[in-house]
């Protein structure tokens, strides 16, 4: 017997009963970004491998271990994008839309790919909403990104379940001085470090700071602190960011071990974390990357952005039971028609109602069926009301109107009055 077909491990189907919550979340974010003046950009999911080596860093875990890389028929090395910032920078450079100091406030949505060990909230194909801003170098835009996410958490009803962590990585020069001091300190305690941290000490020492190993964490207690090596510009920038968050009333925690996993970050870095999802605690993260555009061949250009994981935030909404009632109901009204003439009249009536109420979710029964079977389908659809159209209703040019979710008697509504009646009942219902 041939092996049954199934999805690749860590790459999951999003089934019809799950997609309404995804659409609700994505729509909420899109409206918020529209309101703040951000524009959507859409990039390919496949890029030349060199793009990620140059941007993310060849000695990062992503490039070394996690990328889906392959040769195409031309012999070019291509990679499924593991994150969105590098692709967005490539796009704005290729099309010249940040030249001459043009400010660009962009956002994107789509799948990313990393070959990680799949677990709840962490998958090999995962979905992100990302946001990138170019040619604004002050702390005010850093603050705006954080304020927007704070507002989003409030709209989603999860604000009490997340915490903001902040740090500053300084400029590349100040970070270099700190890296030297950190390597010197950690080298003196080399034998006490876990194996992964020993490897990172040679390749990406700042990543040792966010180790989960308890023994290495104990070593880090007395390690040099990034704050002691910040240059004056970075320190002033960070103080400006904190002042703006204080002015709006957004609480935060300073985390000197927060470094992020990508080489291109500088100055501000931040994460929104939660304790509601087990080990996968980060739901949104980002920071400033003022040197990345130049590193990728462009002119010096300030940049800052973030990305949020859709799977994790959808899981949070489910875990905290913050799912609007209308999300679980995909049909407002279900029309049952009995007999050929009633079916024809029902189609025409349904289209007239849709013309008048374009946001009404009206489903017309398909496949005919007995009174009992159609009502069973109406009930299963989750609709609030059933419309009934049979011989008697046809003769009187009315439609039966029956509540399915609560009190109320069936009544007859004239065809020309149906839309107005539904507008009142569905809104109030």
């Amino acid at each position: 017997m041939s092996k049954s077909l199934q999805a690749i491990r860590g790459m999951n189907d999003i089934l019809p009963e799950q997609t309404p919550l995804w659409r609700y979340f994505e729509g909420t974010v899109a409206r918020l970004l529209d309101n703040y003046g951000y524009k959507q950009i859409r990039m390919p999911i496949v890029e030349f491998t060199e793009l990620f080596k140059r941007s993310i860093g060849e000695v990062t875990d992503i490039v070394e271990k996690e990328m889906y890389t392959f040769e195409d028929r031309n012999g070019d090395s291509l990679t499924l994008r593991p994150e969105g910032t590098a692709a967005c920078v490539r796009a704005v450079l290729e099309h010249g839309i940040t030249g001459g100091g043009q400010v660009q406030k962009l956002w994107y949505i789509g799948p990313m790919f990393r070959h990680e060990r799949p677990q709840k909230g962490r998958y090999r194909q995962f979905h992100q909403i990302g946001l990138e801003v170019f040619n604004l170098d002050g702390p005010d835009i850093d603050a705006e990104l954080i304020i927007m996410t704070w507002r989003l958490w409030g709209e989603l009803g999860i604000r009490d379940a997340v915490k903001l962590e902040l740090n500053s990585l300084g400029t590349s020069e100040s970070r270099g001085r700190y890296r030297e001091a950190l390597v010197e300190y950690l080298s003196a305690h080399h034998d006490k470090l876990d194996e992964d941290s020993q490897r990172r000490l040679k390749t990406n020492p700042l990543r040792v700071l966010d180790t989960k190993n308890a023994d290495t964490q104990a070593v880090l207690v007395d390690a040099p602190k990034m704050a002691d090596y910040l240059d004056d510009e970075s320190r002033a920038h960070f103080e400006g960011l904190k002042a703006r968050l204080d002015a709006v009333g957004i609480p935060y925690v300073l985390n000197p071990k927060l470094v992020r996993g990508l080489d291109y970050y500088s100055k501000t870095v931040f994460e929104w974390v939660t304790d509601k999802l087990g080990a996968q605690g980060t739901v949104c993260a980002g920071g400033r990357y003022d040197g990345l555009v130049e590193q990728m061949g462009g002119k010096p250009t300030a940049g800052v952005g973030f990305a949020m994981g859709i799977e994790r935030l959808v899981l949070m909404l489910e875990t905290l039971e913050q799912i609007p009632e209308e999300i679980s109901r995909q049909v407002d009204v279900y029309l049952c028609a009995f007999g050929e003439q009633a079916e024809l009249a029902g189609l025409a009536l349904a289209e007239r109602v849709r013309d008048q109420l374009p946001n009404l979710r009206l489903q017309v029964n398909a496949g005919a069926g007995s009174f009992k079977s159609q009502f069973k389908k109406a009930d299963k659809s989750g609709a609030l009301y059933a419309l009934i159209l049979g011989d008697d209703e046809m003769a009187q040019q009315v439609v039966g109107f029956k509540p399915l979710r609560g009190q109320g008697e069936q009544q007859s509504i004239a065809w020309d009055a149906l839309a107005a009646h539904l507008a009142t009942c569905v809104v109030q219902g």
Side-chain angles (χ1 to χ4, degrees):
M1 182 180 295
S2 61
K3 183 179 180 181
S4 61
L5 295 175
Q6 58 186 14
I8 298 168
R9 184 167 181 252
M11 300 186 179
N12 303 322
D13 299 307
I14 302 168
L15 300 176
E17 59 266 26
Q18 300 168 308
T19 54
L21 185 54
W22 280 65
R23 291 178 61 189
Y24 160 70
F25 173 77
E26 293 164 355
T28 302
V29 177
R31 284 192 299 273
L32 180 69
L33 295 177
D34 284 345
N35 292 343
Y36 275 80
Y38 287 75
K39 301 176 182 178
Q40 188 179 16
I41 184 171
R42 303 190 181 196
M43 301 92 65
I45 64 170
V46 180
E47 300 274 0
F48 287 112
T49 303
E50 182 64 21
L51 171 68
F52 301 111
K53 289 184 176 180
R54 288 176 61 181
S55 60
I56 298 174
E58 292 198 50
V59 294
T60 58
D61 286 352
I62 294 175
V63 172
E64 287 185 329
K65 303 177 182 178
E66 299 171 359
M67 295 202 313
Y68 281 91
T69 297
F70 58 95
E71 282 193 3
D72 71 357
R73 294 182 180 181
N74 296 326
D76 294 319
S77 180
L78 306 181
T79 294
L80 293 174
R81 62 186 183 193
E83 56 95 40
T85 299
C88 189
V89 170
R90 189 271 310 151
V92 300
L93 283 176
E94 181 174 342
H95 300 285
I97 63 174
T98 56
Q102 297 178 75
V103 172
Q104 293 290 345
K105 302 169 76 174
L106 308 173
W107 72 276
Y108 50 85
I109 182 173
M112 310 292 167
F113 303 85
R114 297 185 191 177
H115 194 279
E116 301 182 292
R117 182 171 64 85
Q119 49 190 298
K120 192 173 184 179
R122 192 182 189 99
Y123 306 108
R124 291 176 176 173
Q125 176 178 311
F126 57 100
H127 297 77
Q128 286 186 341
I129 293 177
L131 184 151
E132 318 291 350
V133 180
F134 300 99
N135 282 315
L136 290 174
D137 58 7
D140 50 353
I141 192 63
D142 301 19
E144 180 176 276
L145 302 193
I146 293 171
I147 291 167
M148 279 196 302
T149 52
W150 176 248
R151 179 170 295 277
L152 176 63
W153 311 145
E155 291 188 15
L156 295 174
I158 61 174
R159 187 176 282 176
D160 292 339
V162 294
K163 177 178 68 174
L164 174 62
E165 295 187 349
L166 288 179
N167 194 20
S168 176
L169 301 181
T171 61
S172 58
E173 292 79 12
S174 62
R175 193 163 61 255
R177 292 193 297 272
Y178 173 66
R179 184 184 292 109
E180 290 178 4
L182 182 64
V183 169
E184 181 179 356
Y185 172 82
L186 293 176
S187 296
H189 299 80
H190 186 274
D191 293 343
K192 298 179 182 178
L193 303 179
D194 63 279
E195 184 177 345
D196 202 34
S197 294
Q198 289 177 353
R199 179 183 61 82
R200 285 175 169 170
L201 182 58
K202 299 176 182 178
T203 59
N204 196 352
L206 266 62
R207 289 302 310 281
V208 177
L209 295 175
D210 62 7
T211 180
K212 302 300 187 291
N213 182 276
D215 293 335
T216 302
Q217 285 280 8
V219 172
L220 290 171
V221 170
D222 296 321
K225 301 295 187 289
M226 175 74 75
D228 296 332
Y229 291 81
L230 283 184
D231 55 287
D232 292 341
E233 178 190 352
S234 297
R235 186 172 286 108
H237 187 102
F238 198 46
E239 291 302 318
L241 169 62
K242 292 189 291 183
R244 286 162 174 79
L245 298 181
D246 291 339
V248 178
I250 297 178
Y252 55 85
V253 174
L254 299 181
N255 180 359
K257 296 179 181 178
L258 178 60
V259 295
R260 305 295 298 132
L262 309 176
D263 280 357
Y264 53 60
Y265 283 112
S266 61
K267 294 184 180 175
T268 304
V269 287
F270 66 90
E271 289 188 0
W272 287 100
V273 299
T274 182
D275 59 3
K276 306 300 182 182
L277 300 179
Q280 305 308 320
T282 302
V283 295
C284 175
R288 182 162 283 281
Y289 47 85
D290 291 339
L292 180 58
V293 175
E294 185 176 12
Q295 178 183 321
M296 291 175 60
K299 295 181 179 179
T301 303
V304 62
F306 67 69
M308 59 180 69
I310 299 179
E311 279 88 350
R312 294 185 189 180
L313 284 161
V314 166
L315 182 59
M316 271 197 73
L317 293 175
E318 293 173 333
T319 301
L320 300 175
E321 298 182 347
Q322 293 296 322
I323 303 175
E325 188 273 334
E326 64 268 20
I327 298 304
S328 59
R329 186 186 76 248
Q330 290 303 292
V331 179
D332 296 319
V333 180
Y334 192 100
L335 192 153
C336 304
F338 306 96
E340 179 74 11
Q341 294 305 310
E343 289 180 11
L344 295 175
L347 285 176
L349 180 61
E351 293 308 308
R352 289 202 297 273
V353 169
R354 290 181 176 122
D355 287 340
Q356 295 173 275
L357 301 174
N359 294 324
L360 181 73
R361 295 173 294 187
L362 168 60
Q363 181 174 339
V364 176
N365 182 76
S370 66
F371 186 89
K372 182 178 180 180
S373 67
Q374 290 198 40
F375 258 83
K376 186 175 181 180
K377 288 191 285 185
D379 185 61
K380 187 176 180 180
S381 75
L384 296 173
Y385 304 99
L387 301 179
I388 305 161
L389 197 58
D391 291 340
D392 292 343
E393 288 79 17
M394 289 285 293
Q396 301 175 52
Q397 292 198 340
V398 298
V399 63
F401 180 84
K402 180 175 178 59
L404 297 176
R405 302 282 179 264
Q407 302 299 317
E409 298 294 325
Q410 180 174 325
Q411 56 185 302
S412 295
I413 309 295
W415 291 356
D416 59 3
L418 180 59
H421 186 75
L422 287 174
T424 301
C425 292
V426 173
V427 171
Q428 292 181 348

